Amino acid sequence: MNIIVTGRHLEVTPALRSYAEEKIKKVEKYFNNVTEAIITLTVEKYRHKAEVQLRANGVLIQAEEISGAMYSSIDQVMDKIERQLKKFKEKLTRHKGRGEGESIPNLKETAISDIVEEGQESTRIIRRKRFAMKPMSPEEAVMQMDLLDKDFFIFENDSTRDINVIYRRRDGNVGLIEPIRAQG
């Protein structure tokens, strides 16, 4: 597993680096072939933030936590990652006949600055993400949204071949947005 530990507004000490690496290696009991783990540690005033991104079997799993101490933030984010991985493993075992990550898209992302002209006004796109869209069911899209710890997920519906959006509602339930073809 390739482990990358970076700091923003923080010098990553050898002790902090080894602590984060030791914690991240524990996820291998859930996924035996994690290819990359990116840990970003940020300090902003009194907020210590730990962000983790894992790539395994074409699956991208991410989480972040903020606390008053960096070691505490690392512990909390790793607890969150472990809960996500346990939930993911349970869902995979419920879907018999599917292998680990078999139905989850391989996410690729890039950060690109771009300017889009709209008449006289211009809107600056500060980040662009791109990912390969593998057709999946809405249930699989919900699972991927939960793994990414996001409030929405865009996917190609495997039954209709349309682009759909799954989103988390304020009441905790999930909504599905499907396009309707215009008549005429």
Side-chain angles (χ1 to χ4, degrees):
M1 167 180 14
N2 182 23
I3 302 173
I4 301 166
V5 181
T6 58
R8 288 190 194 139
H9 311 291
L10 163 81
E11 183 180 333
V12 180
T13 64
L16 192 57
R17 181 179 306 278
S18 66
Y19 186 79
E21 288 174 351
E22 178 184 312
K23 288 287 188 175
I24 203 74
K25 286 180 182 174
K26 292 181 181 179
V27 302
E28 289 183 322
K29 66 183 175 184
Y30 301 104
F31 275 82
N32 55 359
N33 54 353
V34 174
T35 56
E36 185 177 53
I38 301 170
I39 305 166
T40 306
L41 307 174
T42 308
V43 175
E44 296 170 352
K45 295 187 180 182
Y46 300 104
R47 298 170 29 146
H48 295 248
K49 180 165 85 170
E51 297 174 79
V52 175
Q53 275 191 351
L54 295 177
R55 291 184 188 346
N57 291 341
V59 177
L60 176 67
I61 300 166
Q62 63 186 24
E64 66 180 55
E65 281 296 326
I66 299 171
S67 74
M70 189 56 71
Y71 287 94
S72 176
S73 294
I74 292 170
D75 289 342
Q76 291 173 14
V77 78
M78 289 312 301
D79 289 345
K80 194 176 209 179
I81 288 283
E82 284 186 28
R83 283 192 306 271
Q84 289 176 345
L85 288 172
K86 285 177 187 175
K87 190 174 178 181
F88 178 63
K89 283 288 237 185
E90 289 171 7
K91 286 183 179 182
L92 281 179
T93 55
R94 278 190 243 135
H95 292 98
K96 294 181 181 177
R98 293 184 186 157
E100 258 182 37
E102 189 177 52
S103 61
I104 306 300
N106 183 13
L107 301 180
K108 296 180 181 176
E109 56 187 279
T110 56
I112 300 171
S113 293
D114 199 0
I115 302 293
V116 177
E117 297 293 332
E118 294 177 0
Q120 295 204 0
E121 296 179 19
S122 66
T123 302
R124 184 165 184 231
I125 299 173
I126 58 169
R127 187 169 185 178
R128 177 177 292 158
K129 291 188 177 187
R130 296 172 185 244
F131 58 95
M133 275 208 255
K134 182 178 176 183
M136 64 177 68
S137 70
E139 292 77 21
E140 291 169 314
V142 170
M143 183 171 31
Q144 184 65 50
M145 178 181 69
D146 289 342
L147 284 173
L148 293 172
D149 194 28
K150 297 294 181 188
D151 295 325
F152 70 94
F153 185 73
I154 301 169
F155 68 101
E156 180 182 345
N157 192 315
D158 60 359
S159 61
T160 63
R161 296 295 184 210
D162 287 330
I163 302 298
N164 290 182
V165 177
I166 287 283
Y167 63 96
R168 178 87 45 211
R169 296 171 43 96
R170 287 191 184 116
D171 63 6
N173 291 315
V174 175
L176 173 64
I177 299 173
E178 298 176 290
I180 298 176
R181 303 278 181 225
Q183 301 294 327

